[in-house]
């Protein structure tokens, strides 16, 4: 059975529509024939009843001889006595045996339908019999209305339905097939285009139909997804190029130092040469660790988040720092609890303070407070230095990877341009934000994290 069922959406929609319409047409046809039959029978019955009751009244008063032949709607009339004698009959029943008399104990009116061949050939008759009391005893009045018109109407309607319903069903199936095919043609075009897109041609886009319907929105969504994939690919290639460049520089310097150390025969110069090599190795280690962390962030690896006292964490990170170039002044609010990973949140604080100290002149200020009220409250950590500051046009670019506003100065200070990028990515990973905002002098970096919701 599963093999017989259509496999394409177009075929399934057509078959489904055909089955539903066929069932609806069948039910409608039976209902139409039933209503038509009932209405025609009711009309014939009313005509026969009126004629039978008129003749019964004449028979009851002994004036049966005044009975007139039936009208156009009634085919025949016959009056039969209790002993089976025909007391009266319409001209077309002359010579026809009497109908079976009704039992005396069943007065009133009752209806039958049967064929009376000598009267009307093979057409049915709607016969009404009325039992009445005459001066000579009980008698039964029979009045029959022909169902010739009803049979003709039934035959005509049935023939029309037999011819018309399949044509209507075929029309519905054909229209469904064409309309479904027209609606799905853009989907096939989208599928074919997407199937041909590889990682080397993410610039391609799927065609957007001008229908402004669900298919058009699907194409727009697909193109938006391709935009993001292309941007991600560009960022990845740029990141690889920047990382290769950053790794090549210290490796080149390290190799030069080692070659010089190998060529110099004076042991007194070896400590200086080896010390410089060690500095470059440390730089390579930091860069490799940063690149590994960025890879983990990009992979969206889950982090174990627990409620933390942000003020205590900041104080702990600052107390572990030794040999800072400039002092760090703190103003930390108490009982500021956030839900985060301690290691990654500590890395955010470290990177922000490292960046501030790299450019500060006399000191760095770290402030922690809370904002908001009601249901949504936020922890705000500000790191402010008194250095040259960040120009307004560069406040977003400083968070890009391998970005240096002053390249030569950053290299002298040992920065690779990844600290703020890592801090922002980690902030986003924890549901927070990191921005560079206005400051009277120097740079002001603001970290906002949602407070832990306490039940």
């Amino acid at each position: 059975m599963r093999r017989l069922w259509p496999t394409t959406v177009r075929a399934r929609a057509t078959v489904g529509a055909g089955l539903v319409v066929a069932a609806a047409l069948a039910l409608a046809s039976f209902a139409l024939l039933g209503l038509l039959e009932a209405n025609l029978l009711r009309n014939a019955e009313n005509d026969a009843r009126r004629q039978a009751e008129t003749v019964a009244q004449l028979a009851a008063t002994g004036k049966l001889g005044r009975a007139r032949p039936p009208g156009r709607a009634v085919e025949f009339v016959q009056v039969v006595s209790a002993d089976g004698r025909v007391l009266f009959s319409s001209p077309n029943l002359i010579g026809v045996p009497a109908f079976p008399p009704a039992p005396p104990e069943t007065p009133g009116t009752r209806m039958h339908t049967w064929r009376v061949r000598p009267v009307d050939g093979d057409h049915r008759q709607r016969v009404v019999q009325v039992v009445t009391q005459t001066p000579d005893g009980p008698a039964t009045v029979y009045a029959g209305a022909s169902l010739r018109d009803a049979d003709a109407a039934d035959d005509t309607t049935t023939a029309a339905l037999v011819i018309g319903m399949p044509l209507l069903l075929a029309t519905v199936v054909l229209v469904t097939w064409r309309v479904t095919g027209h609606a799905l043609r853009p989907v096939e075009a989208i599928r074919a285009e997407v199937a041909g897109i590889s990682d080397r041609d993410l610039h391609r886009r799927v065609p957007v139909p001008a229908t402004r319907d669900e298919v058009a929105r699907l194409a727009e969504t697909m193109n938006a997804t391709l935009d993001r994939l292309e941007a991600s690919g560009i960022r990845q290639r740029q990141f690889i190029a920047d990382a290769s460049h950053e790794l090549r520089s210290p490796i080149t310097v390290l190799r030069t130092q080692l070659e010089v150390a190998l060529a110099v025969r004076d042991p007194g110069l070896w400590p200086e040469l080896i010390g410089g090599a060690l500095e470059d190795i440390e730089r390579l280690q930091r860069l490799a660790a940063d690149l590994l962390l960025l890879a983990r962030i990009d992979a969206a690896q889950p982090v174990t988040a627990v409620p933390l006292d942000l003020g205590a964490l900041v104080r702990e990170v600052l107390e572990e720092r030794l040999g800072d170039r400039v002092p760090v002044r703190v103003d930390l609010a108490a009982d500021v609890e956030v839900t985060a990973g301690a290691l990654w949140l500590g890395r955010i604080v470290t990177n922000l303070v490292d960046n501030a100290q790299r450019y500060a002149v006399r000191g760095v200020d770290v402030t922690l407070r809370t904002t908001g009220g009601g249901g949504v409250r936020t922890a705000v950590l500000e790191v402010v230095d008194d250095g040259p500051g960040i120009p307004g046009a560069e406040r977003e670019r400083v968070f890009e990877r391998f970005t240096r506003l002053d390249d030569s100065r950053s290299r002298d200070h040992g920065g690779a341009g990844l600290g703020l990028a890592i801090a922002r990515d980690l902030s986003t990973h924890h549901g927070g934000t990191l921005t560079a905002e206005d400051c009277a002098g120097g740079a002001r970096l603001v970290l906002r994290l949602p407070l832990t919701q306490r039940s």
Side-chain angles (χ1 to χ4, degrees), residues 47-395:
D47 293 337
R49 178 186 291 111
R50 284 193 295 267
Q51 184 67 39
E53 290 175 348
T54 300
V55 175
Q57 291 176 0
L58 293 174
T61 59
K63 300 178 181 179
L64 192 58
R66 297 182 181 181
R68 297 179 180 180
R72 295 180 57 185
V74 179
E75 287 290 328
F76 67 88
V77 175
Q78 187 181 71
V79 181
V80 181
S81 64
D83 55 3
R85 291 181 299 109
V86 177
L87 302 180
F88 175 83
S89 64
S90 56
N92 57 351
L93 283 188
I94 296 175
V96 176
F99 290 105
E105 64 273 14
T106 57
T109 303
R110 58 181 179 176
M111 283 71 67
H112 297 287
T113 300
W114 67 80
R115 297 182 185 276
V116 184
R117 295 182 183 275
V119 177
D120 198 20
D122 290 335
H123 291 290
R124 298 175 298 161
Q125 298 284 337
R126 188 63 169 174
V127 179
V128 175
Q129 61 182 30
V130 177
V131 179
T132 184
Q133 189 68 31
T134 68
D136 297 329
T140 303
V141 179
Y142 296 94
S146 175
L147 298 181
R148 183 190 309 108
D149 294 339
D151 293 339
D154 287 344
D155 294 341
T156 303
T157 304
T158 301
L161 292 176
V162 169
I163 297 174
M165 292 303 178
L167 292 178
L168 180 58
L169 179 60
T171 302
V172 170
V173 170
L174 179 61
V175 170
T176 303
W177 177 264
R178 296 292 298 273
V179 171
T180 306
H182 180 74
L184 293 178
R185 192 175 298 117
V187 177
E188 178 60 23
I190 293 172
R191 185 207 63 79
E193 184 67 21
V194 173
I197 297 177
S198 65
D199 57 345
R200 295 184 179 275
D201 50 6
L202 291 175
H203 62 280
R204 294 170 57 179
R205 296 295 181 267
V206 301
V208 179
T211 53
R212 296 184 179 181
D213 56 4
E214 292 82 353
V215 178
R217 292 195 292 272
L218 172 64
E220 292 171 355
T221 302
M222 183 63 67
N223 285 336
T225 301
L226 291 173
D227 289 339
R228 292 193 295 269
L229 289 176
E230 183 183 19
S232 176
I234 293 174
R235 287 196 304 269
Q236 185 178 18
R237 289 191 294 271
Q238 185 63 40
F239 175 73
I240 293 174
D242 292 340
S244 300
H245 177 73
E246 291 294 331
L247 289 172
R248 183 175 58 184
S249 298
I251 290 175
T252 301
V253 173
L254 178 60
R255 178 174 179 173
T256 302
Q257 291 175 336
L258 292 177
E259 289 176 349
V260 171
L262 185 62
V264 172
R265 300 300 180 181
D266 186 358
L269 297 177
W270 287 352
E272 181 180 353
L273 294 174
I274 293 175
L278 288 175
E279 290 180 359
D280 288 319
I281 290 175
E282 290 178 359
R283 181 182 175 187
L284 280 173
Q285 286 179 331
R286 290 194 300 269
L287 182 57
D290 289 344
L291 293 176
L292 179 60
L293 179 57
L294 284 173
R296 291 178 60 190
I297 297 173
D298 289 341
Q301 293 185 358
V303 58
T304 303
V306 296
L308 297 173
D309 187 335
L310 183 55
L313 178 66
V314 173
R315 188 173 289 106
E316 179 181 350
V317 170
L318 295 179
E319 288 176 353
E320 292 177 354
R321 300 174 65 87
L322 299 175
D324 286 342
R325 189 174 62 87
V326 295
V328 178
R329 298 177 292 270
V330 297
D331 181 11
L332 307 177
D335 298 328
V336 180
E337 188 176 273
V338 297
T339 301
L343 181 62
W344 284 16
L345 190 55
R347 182 60 183 272
I348 296 175
V349 177
T350 298
N351 286 10
L352 293 179
V353 175
D354 282 345
N355 179 82
Q357 286 195 332
R358 186 173 294 122
Y359 301 105
V361 177
R362 289 182 298 274
V364 175
D365 294 309
V366 178
T367 305
L368 176 63
R369 55 188 173 84
T370 61
T371 60
V376 180
R377 300 185 64 217
T378 305
V380 180
L381 179 67
E382 296 184 1
V383 179
V384 182
D385 65 70
D386 57 354
I390 303 175
E394 305 290 343
R395 288 179 182 173

Side-chain angles (χ1 to χ4, degrees), residues 421-432:
I422 291 175
R424 169 168 276 192
D425 288 346
L426 290 176
S427 303
T428 304
H429 198 72
H430 285 86

